[in-house]
Amino acid sequence: MIKAKNVLAPLLYGVEASDDLLATGTIWISSDLRVLTCNGSAQALILGKNYQSKPVLDLISDAEKFGICAAGTRNAFAAMLVSGSTQFQFEMRDGRTIMARARMMGEATLVELSDVSFVVRSALSQHRDPLTGLATRVELLTRLSQAMEDTEKSAHLLYLDLDRFKAVNDTLGHPVGDALLKLVADRIGNILSAQDIIARLGGDEFAVLLAEVDHRGAAEVFATKLIDVVSRSYLAGGHLVNIGVSVGIAVIGQDGNNPDEIIKNADLALFCAKSEGRGTYRFFTSEMDRQSQERRDLEVDIRRALAMREFSLAYQPQYEISGRHLLGFEALLRWQHEVRGDVSPASFIPLAEHLGLIVPLGEWVLRTACSVAAAWPPHLSIAVNISPLQFRTEQLVSTVASALADSGLAPERLELEITEGALLEYTDTVISVLTKIKSTGVRISMDDFGTGYSSLSYLQKFPFDKIKIDQSFVRKSVTDPDSAAIVRAVSALGESLGMTTIAEGVETEEQLTQIFEQGCRQVQGFLTGRPMNAEAVSALIQQSPL
Ligand code: C2E
Ligand code: MG
Ligand code: MG
């Protein structure tokens, strides 16, 4: 149950009297408050046909007693007639909201009754979230402007986004997702004070307006408590569910000139909290605003670059160490920007992911790489990096199939590289997608192995064909015995699991010797070949013995 204090009790969703409200019922009342006449629509309220000359307030009192209208209607009616207020609203038992308006017509009073249920309901739905009963964005905006008017206090706005909620919704279904949202609303409600407001801004996003927390330390304490409370396990729809929450905080009276700006800035702070590892909070800073402007510029540029074909692929050779045989290439995305110059994939791929542009961009990479590789000798393979986001829908299965069919590349020559991060969320979907793709003959490698979370457990979850040992271990393997031990352990593990291991980022002969001694059999790095364009690949293939 949501506590009463969060149900927006103080608000009245009144309807303004206006002539365009259709008058449905009319009652004429004499100066001594007796019914002169009324039309059919008003008879429900004044109990049938036998009304003439009866005191109107008695009739309404009876209607109240019989439960036809809500308690209090008689008194409100009396106030309208006696003290000269001109209108009021009341509820009928059948759920309708009726507005009564009184007008003096000479000696008599005309009371018009209009059904305003629809107007009231739609006003309510704009202010109250139907699922959780919390305030909506519209309501929050109103509350924020009230808070901004009070210049004495500097309230705080917290913008919340649940971590891993989408995975729950996708794997356990929407009813469980809905139940979870209600539980989250409930838990947050329980730690609020009476004057605070909690709103649901859509999906798994919430906002809390801390109306009387006017110093940073107190907001921090609250945010910490909120993260702790929301991150505890839930029993939702019979499932044990774990989620987290990230929080962005804006200070009212400081971080924005109007409610929209405050929400926007709290959202920017939230974006930083999420990109800095989630399950944490961040206060808005003006630096975040600058970065967001940069991201917007980059976004426009990425969209244009996709349309203008400013992207290209570079290919980095992979070798078998002992015989220095060329095995194939990894396709690496390149962006030559007319002003920015060469933009690193490490900087634009995360943004393309955030914007959802990685799906069309990734498809372009896949199709281009397949059609270029189809012209190479048949023993050479092509490795393509796939973003975790691309694995989250079954769509990748058909995209891969169609890229292979269109290019004529044999599936055995294609290798998809996936990072551990891809298995962190949506694990079941990702594994199902990987399994389907692997069953067509395409090989799957685990990229940047060792940089992620609980690496070994991921190797058990899916039969990868290849493990790419991350550059950081390779670089340090010469000087740092621990890194060398990791290279050795991973190579041995790969061998026993039937997976090939390849060392990435090998730059010196010394590193090459070292990783070979530790049992690694393949190499990709600047030492054996930098990423190169398609023409340079053709030249290299010409020189390479089979
Ligand atoms: P990655 O998949 O691990 O690719 C290897 C990165 O290491 C490449 O950087 C490559 O140029 C670099 N590298 C290779 N050998 C050496 C070396 O000996 N020394 C040094 N210092 N670096 C070396 P790049 O091309 O900047 O790509 C960075 C990352 O961007 C890639 O890491 C990959 O995660 C991502 N990426 C690149 N292309 C794509 C793509 O088409 N799709 C997706 N989703 N991600 C891509
Ligand atoms: Mg890679
Ligand atoms: Mg890598």
Side-chain angles (χ1 to χ4, degrees):
M1 265 300 292
I2 291 167
K3 281 191 174 175
K5 67 189 178 195
N6 296 317
V7 187
L8 305 176
L11 278 186
L12 265 179
Y13 300 101
V15 177
E16 293 298 315
S18 81
D19 287 337
D20 40 326
L21 282 174
L22 191 67
T24 52
T26 50
I27 313 173
W28 286 90
I29 299 166
S30 64
S31 54
D32 61 347
L33 302 186
R34 288 172 190 276
V35 178
L36 294 169
T37 180
C38 77
N39 73 356
S41 307
Q43 284 173 14
L45 185 63
I46 55 172
L47 302 178
K49 296 194 161 47
N50 196 11
Y51 51 78
Q52 236 138 14
S53 301
K54 291 209 170 136
V56 67
L57 296 178
D58 289 357
L59 291 172
I60 293 175
S61 184
D62 287 347
E64 221 179 277
K65 269 186 230 143
F66 289 117
I68 289 170
C69 55
T73 307
R74 182 215 169 267
N75 289 350
F77 213 97
M80 178 176 75
L81 295 175
V82 179
S83 68
S85 63
T86 54
Q87 69 176 67
F88 79 103
Q89 256 169 247
F90 63 95
E91 303 288 327
M92 298 287 278
R93 187 177 53 176
D94 59 14
R96 284 181 298 157
T97 305
I98 306 292
M99 188 169 80
R101 280 187 292 174
R103 261 193 268 176
M104 291 300 292
M105 306 291 258
E107 290 287 288
T109 303
L110 168 64
V111 174
E112 290 171 323
L113 302 170
S114 319
D115 184 347
V116 293
S117 317
F118 175 75
V119 189
V120 169
R121 264 201 299 275
S122 61
L124 256 176
S125 71
Q126 273 189 28
H127 290 260
R128 231 180 264 182
D129 172 44
L131 178 71
T132 56
L134 302 181
T136 58
R137 181 182 291 268
V138 172
E139 173 63 21
L140 180 70
L141 286 168
T142 315
R143 299 293 183 140
L144 268 171
S145 20
Q146 287 165 1
M148 290 182 79
E149 277 162 23
D150 190 349
T151 46
E152 300 280 286
K153 294 193 203 109
S154 63
H156 287 73
L157 180 73
L158 280 69
Y159 200 132
L160 282 55
D161 185 293
L162 303 182
D163 304 328
R164 298 184 297 281
F165 174 77
K166 288 186 181 68
V168 172
N169 222 15
D170 288 358
T171 52
L172 301 177
H174 289 241
V176 176
D178 284 356
L180 182 59
L181 289 172
K182 286 193 217 168
L183 290 170
V184 169
D186 204 7
R187 281 197 194 171
I188 302 174
N190 283 333
I191 58 167
L192 295 184
S193 313
Q195 64 283 353
D196 300 334
I197 296 289
I198 167 169
R200 178 166 172 236
L201 303 181
D204 60 348
E205 293 184 3
F206 296 83
V208 171
L209 173 60
L210 294 179
E212 286 185 7
V213 165
D214 58 0
H215 64 275
R216 192 184 168 98
E220 274 176 322
V221 169
F222 179 83
T224 309
K225 187 168 171 191
L226 180 120
I227 293 169
D228 173 49
V229 163
V230 176
S231 309
R232 294 183 193 162
S233 302
Y234 296 81
L235 196 61
H239 297 269
L240 187 66
V241 182
N242 288 297
I243 51 165
V245 61
S246 306
V247 182
I249 309 174
V251 182
I252 290 150
Q254 174 191 305
D255 296 337
N257 298 318
N258 55 56
D260 282 316
E261 228 173 87
I262 291 185
I263 294 183
K264 189 200 86 192
N265 288 340
D267 189 18
L268 279 180
L270 170 67
F271 180 80
C272 286
K274 289 184 80 146
S275 44
E276 286 167 28
R278 302 174 170 201
T280 176
Y281 63 84
R282 287 287 173 272
F283 279 86
F284 169 76
T285 64
S286 51
E287 173 64 12
M288 292 176 185
D289 200 27
R290 200 188 54 73
Q291 286 168 351
S292 123
Q293 183 58 45
E294 262 178 33
R295 280 196 301 272
R296 276 198 297 277
D297 293 348
L298 197 55
E299 171 182 355
V300 173
D301 276 2
I302 294 179
R303 290 186 195 277
R304 204 207 50 227
L306 252 175
M308 305 295 287
R309 301 177 187 278
E310 278 179 9
F311 291 109
S312 63
L313 291 185
Y315 304 86
Q316 187 176 29
Q318 299 178 332
Y319 290 92
E320 206 248 332
I321 301 176
S322 57
R324 298 253 171 148
H325 288 308
L326 181 61
L327 298 165
F329 296 82
E330 176 178 3
L332 293 162
L333 193 52
R334 295 289 174 261
W335 181 12
Q336 289 89 23
H337 187 277
E338 50 182 3
V339 182
R340 296 174 196 263
D342 289 343
V343 189
S344 158
S347 70
F348 70 81
I349 285 182
L351 184 64
E353 286 174 340
H354 178 70
L355 299 170
L357 290 172
I358 193 68
V359 174
L361 187 56
E363 179 167 347
W364 177 85
V365 171
L366 187 68
R367 289 183 177 281
T368 310
C370 287
S371 61
V372 168
W376 299 341
H379 67 283
L380 295 179
S381 60
I382 179 82
V384 176
N385 292 286
I386 306 285
S387 151
L389 290 176
Q390 290 173 269
F391 282 106
R392 286 185 190 171
T393 66
E394 299 272 335
Q395 195 196 327
L396 185 66
V397 181
S398 54
T399 307
V400 169
S402 111
L404 288 170
D406 291 352
S407 62
L409 187 78
E412 295 69 29
R413 296 177 60 197
L414 177 63
E415 205 174 281
L416 301 185
E417 293 193 4
I418 158 175
T419 53
E420 288 167 71
L423 286 162
L424 200 62
E425 285 187 87
Y426 304 89
T427 315
D428 294 343
T429 317
V430 174
I431 292 197
S432 140
V433 168
L434 283 176
T435 309
K436 285 183 186 147
I437 295 177
K438 190 175 157 89
S439 73
T440 67
V442 172
R443 281 170 296 150
I444 312 284
S445 344
M446 156 90 41
D447 201 358
D448 302 343
F449 186 74
T451 53
Y453 306 83
S454 55
S455 316
L456 294 178
S457 72
Y458 291 128
L459 288 184
Q460 281 182 325
K461 285 195 166 122
F462 185 78
F464 290 95
D465 295 281
K466 192 187 259 188
I467 305 172
K468 302 191 76 178
I469 304 175
D470 190 64
Q471 325 200 347
S472 52
F473 303 109
V474 173
R475 269 327 129 58
K476 287 190 277 175
S477 63
V478 177
T479 48
D480 171 25
D482 288 348
S483 295
I486 289 172
V487 175
R488 188 166 58 247
V490 173
S491 303
L493 188 73
E495 203 177 321
S496 62
L497 293 172
M499 303 174 187
T500 317
T501 45
I502 182 165
E504 289 191 84
V506 173
E507 292 182 349
T508 65
E509 285 291 347
E510 228 184 333
Q511 289 165 353
L512 184 65
T513 312
Q514 176 70 20
I515 56 130
F516 186 69
E517 278 172 5
Q518 306 304 343
C520 182
R521 293 292 164 257
Q522 298 185 0
V523 61
Q524 173 186 347
F526 289 175
L527 176 71
T528 45
R530 287 187 176 254
M532 58 188 84
N533 63 24
E535 290 77 55
V537 169
S538 302
L540 180 74
I541 292 172
Q542 301 279 312
Q543 305 157 11
S544 296
L546 273 183

